[in-house]
Amino acid sequence: MLQKIYDKHGLAGLYHGLFGTIIGTASSNFAYFYWYGLIRAIYVRRSNGAPLSTATELALGALGGALGQMFTIPISVVTTKQQTSPDPNKTLLDTAKDVFSEDGVSGFWRGLKASLVLVVNPSITYGSYERLKSLLFPGRNFLLPRENFVIGALSKAMATIVTQPLIVAKVMQQSGALIKQADGSPPKKFNSFVDALVYLVKYEGIAGLFKGLGPQITKGVLVQGLLFMFKDQIELLIVLLFRLIKSRRRVALV
C-alpha cells in the first residue's frame, strides 16, 4: 500500500491529511485526558483513595472516552474522508464542505455509534497502563521515559487487537465507502458499523475484520508509547515549574 501511494502521488501522498490528523489527535487526546482525569479524580476522592479495580479503570476510561468523542468526532470524519479521497489536493475545508453537502450537519457525526463503542480502545489502553504501572512500579508517580514507552506500547497493542474489527468498520463508514448491491441497483452507503461488519464477513471472511492490523499496531505502539513517554515528562516539568513559581512568590512576599 505504501508503494502504491508513493507511485501514484509521490512522497507528499504519504502525508495526505497530515494537518487534519494533527488537529484530530491533539483534540481527541486533550478531550480524553481532560474528561478521564476529571472523572477519575472525582471517583478517587469519593472512594477515599481506595485502589481502583481493573473493571473500574476500564469503566472510567470508557466514560471519559465517550464524552471526548461527542466533541471531537467531526474532525475524525473530515480527516478520514480527506485521507481516503482520490484527490490529493483536496483541503480539509473542501472536504468538510463535501461532508456537509452530502449529509448535512449530521454527516459530521457519521460513525458516532462505532466511535462510542470504540471508546473501549482507549479505555483498555489507559486501564491496562494504570494496572501495569501499579503492578510493575508500585508507589511511583513518575516513571522513566523508557518504562513509560514499554508500558504504553504493550497497552495499546492489546487494545488494538481487541478492537480492530470496529476500527475497520468505522473507517469504512466515515470514508463514505459504498455497498455493492446484489440486485444490480446503485450502491449505497453503510447505514451503521454493523452493516460494515456484516459486509466484511460476507465478502472477505473473518480475516477481513482484521485487515490493516499490522500497520495499526505499529502506528499505535509508536504513537501511544511516545505519548506516554512525553506526557509523564511534560507533566513532571509543569509540576516543577509551578513549584518554582510558588517558591519565588513566597520569597518575594518575605
Side-chain angles (χ1 to χ4, degrees), residues 150-161:
V150 171
I151 296 179
L154 288 174
S155 302
K156 188 61 178 181
M158 291 187 290
T160 301
I161 293 171

Side-chain angles (χ1 to χ4, degrees), residues 1 10 13 19 29 61 75 80-81 86 101 104 106 118-119 123 149 154-155 172-173 202 221 232 254:
M1 183 57 70
F19 181 67
N29 278 302
I75 301 173
T80 300
K81 189 170 181 63
S101 63
S106 62
L118 270 171
V119 298
S123 174
F149 182 89
L154 288 174
S155 302
M172 291 176 67
Q173 190 179 4
K202 183 177 180 180
V221 164
D232 227 21
V254 172

Side-chain angles (χ1 to χ4, degrees), residues 50-113:
L52 303 182
S53 65
T54 301
T56 301
E57 287 281 11
L58 292 175
L60 294 176
L63 182 57
L67 290 170
Q69 281 295 327
M70 295 295 293
F71 296 98
T72 60
I73 191 171
I75 301 173
S76 174
V77 171
V78 176
T79 302
T80 300
K81 189 170 181 63
Q82 184 190 25
Q83 290 178 330
T84 55
S85 170
D87 183 3
N89 298 317
K90 184 163 287 189
T91 65
L92 199 65
L93 182 59
D94 291 336
T95 308
K97 290 178 180 178
D98 288 345
V99 172
F100 182 76
S101 63
E102 291 174 8
D103 300 308
V105 175
S106 62
F108 292 102
W109 275 266
R110 186 190 301 159
L112 177 60
K113 292 180 181 178

Side-chain angles (χ1 to χ4, degrees), residues 129 132 136 144-156 225 229:
Y129 172 84
L132 288 172
L136 299 177
L144 296 175
R146 63 175 179 272
E147 296 169 341
N148 264 321
F149 182 89
V150 171
I151 296 179
L154 288 174
S155 302
K156 188 61 178 181
M229 184 174 76

